Amino acid sequence: MTANWIIRKGVPPALAGAAARLYWRSFGADLCPCALDPRRGAALVRALMQPDRALIAIGASGGVLGIAGLRGSRGGFLELSPGACRQVLGPWWGRLALAMANLHRGGETADLVLDGVAVRRGWQRQGIARALADAAGAEALRLGYPGLRAEVAAQNVTALAAWQALGFQPQGRQRLGWVWAAPAWVLRRPALSPAQAPSLVQGPAAPLIRA
């Protein structure tokens, strides 16, 4: 049966708010040292997002069903900005967020990093995460990266199993994210071969995969 969603490269302006809300709901606790309500958290994501460094799943009605941030040599889906942090969080919390974010970072990698994959509630287990990972593999191939990297908290055995089901293999543990973060598994999957990769059509909101 054909699913009613597609994967696209980039976040169109009209969908930036929905993409930011989904990303914050999934990763807010890892993004900011201060507790934020969902509205301010989504505003922070929207202020920091780089729309061209993401893949999104869009449903038949035009809603965002999934998102995958991408991090490569040019930077990641979210780029720290002193002005944006101060504007959303206020002067004191904005300075603290920037200081804490720069205290500890993950190790360097030659691979394209999947900087968080989130699927909207009610749409899990329908192949969206796999399609996002495959589209990221095609993007890695296009940009010349040898593989894809993902990171998952070591104690999150469910997420680890899900990544392994997508073909990612554990490479070891590192302490990633905030300085107090628990160890995380680093996982890797080789980039797709040209024969495996879904066709990539360039453009700010070009379709990658029709499911």
Side-chain angles (χ1 to χ4, degrees):
M1 183 175 68
T2 301
N4 55 343
W5 44 266
I6 59 172
I7 304 294
R8 292 177 178 265
K9 169 74 182 300
V11 181
L15 297 179
R21 289 190 292 274
L22 176 58
Y23 201 84
W24 176 261
R25 280 198 300 270
S26 300
F27 307 112
D30 300 320
L31 298 177
C32 186
C34 51
L36 295 181
D37 64 76
R39 181 186 60 81
R40 291 181 71 203
L44 180 63
V45 172
R46 186 166 184 175
L48 301 181
M49 76 162 59
Q50 307 299 304
D52 62 320
R53 300 174 193 169
L55 303 164
I56 59 173
I58 303 176
S61 64
V64 176
L65 305 182
I67 183 168
L70 302 176
R71 187 170 82 244
S73 57
R74 294 190 303 116
F77 174 53
L78 302 184
E79 287 292 306
L80 288 174
S81 162
C85 286
R86 286 195 297 268
Q87 180 181 355
V88 176
L89 302 177
W92 193 86
W93 276 114
R95 286 194 297 271
L96 177 62
L98 284 168
M100 295 304 297
N102 285 306
L103 279 177
H104 193 81
R105 294 181 179 274
E108 295 298 319
T109 174
D111 295 322
L112 183 65
V113 180
L114 275 167
D115 212 3
V117 176
V119 177
R120 186 169 151 188
R121 283 191 293 269
W123 287 87
Q124 292 95 345
R125 302 181 182 277
Q126 297 193 40
I128 293 176
R130 181 176 294 277
L132 287 167
D134 287 346
E139 187 71 348
L141 174 70
R142 185 182 75 84
L143 296 174
Y145 290 99
L148 288 175
R149 168 170 159 157
E151 299 153 358
V152 60
Q155 71 274 19
N156 193 339
V157 294
T158 301
L160 177 61
W163 281 111
Q164 289 179 294
L166 295 177
F168 287 79
Q169 294 302 316
Q171 305 296 298
R173 295 190 186 194
Q174 293 185 19
R175 192 171 292 273
L176 305 170
W178 301 110
V179 291
W180 57 81
W185 280 106
V186 174
L187 303 104
R188 186 179 189 274
R189 187 177 96 174
L192 297 178
S193 69
Q196 294 172 314
S199 60
L200 182 83
V201 181
Q202 294 303 302
L208 291 179
I209 301 173
R210 183 171 296 278

